[in-house]
Amino acid sequence: MIDIKLIRENPELIKNNNRNRQSDVDVELLLQLDSDIRRLLVEIESARAQRNQASKTKPTPEIINEMKILGESLKNKEIEIESKQTKLNE
């Protein structure tokens, strides 16, 4: 298995290597999935930090509603990242 960092840094080298080996791996798709996963991880960590910060204050009805919405968003992003990670591993 090739390290994803190598693929990020040298996509053309990997594409050429795949052509030489007559492999039909879609490097562009792989890089797009990797980019999406990294973006989602940042969004998830940011949302978790926001949720943790809000939990340190006295909750108002507005904050409670915002945290419910944030929780749903987090759940959806985690499902999305799991799906993309599965595709990437394939």
Side-chain angles (χ1 to χ4, degrees):
M1 183 170 203
I2 300 173
D3 185 20
I4 191 69
K5 290 171 90 177
L6 177 66
I7 298 171
R8 278 186 217 130
E9 294 168 359
N10 302 298
E12 291 304 317
L13 176 69
I14 302 302
K15 287 177 188 177
N16 287 335
N17 189 23
N18 285 341
R19 270 193 294 275
N20 292 341
R21 294 174 183 255
Q22 298 176 347
S23 174
D24 61 346
V25 175
D26 189 351
V27 176
E28 292 301 322
L29 175 62
L30 187 124
L31 290 171
Q32 183 61 46
L33 287 170
D34 178 59
S35 174
D36 291 347
I37 290 169
R38 291 171 54 175
R39 176 187 50 81
L40 284 168
L41 284 173
V42 169
E43 290 175 8
I44 288 171
E45 289 303 315
S46 175
R48 285 182 180 156
Q50 183 181 357
R51 183 177 60 186
N52 290 341
Q53 187 65 32
S55 70
K56 295 178 182 179
T57 64
K58 183 176 180 183
T60 63
E62 294 84 24
I63 291 176
I64 292 171
N65 191 36
E66 286 178 22
M67 292 304 106
K68 285 181 183 178
I69 293 169
L70 185 63
E72 285 298 316
S73 174
L74 260 171
K75 202 179 299 182
N76 291 337
K77 287 179 183 179
E78 288 170 347
I79 290 169
E80 184 180 354
I81 201 169
E82 191 174 305
S83 168
K84 290 184 183 285
Q85 189 67 48
T86 301
K87 283 183 182 178
L88 181 68
N89 290 338
E90 288 176 356

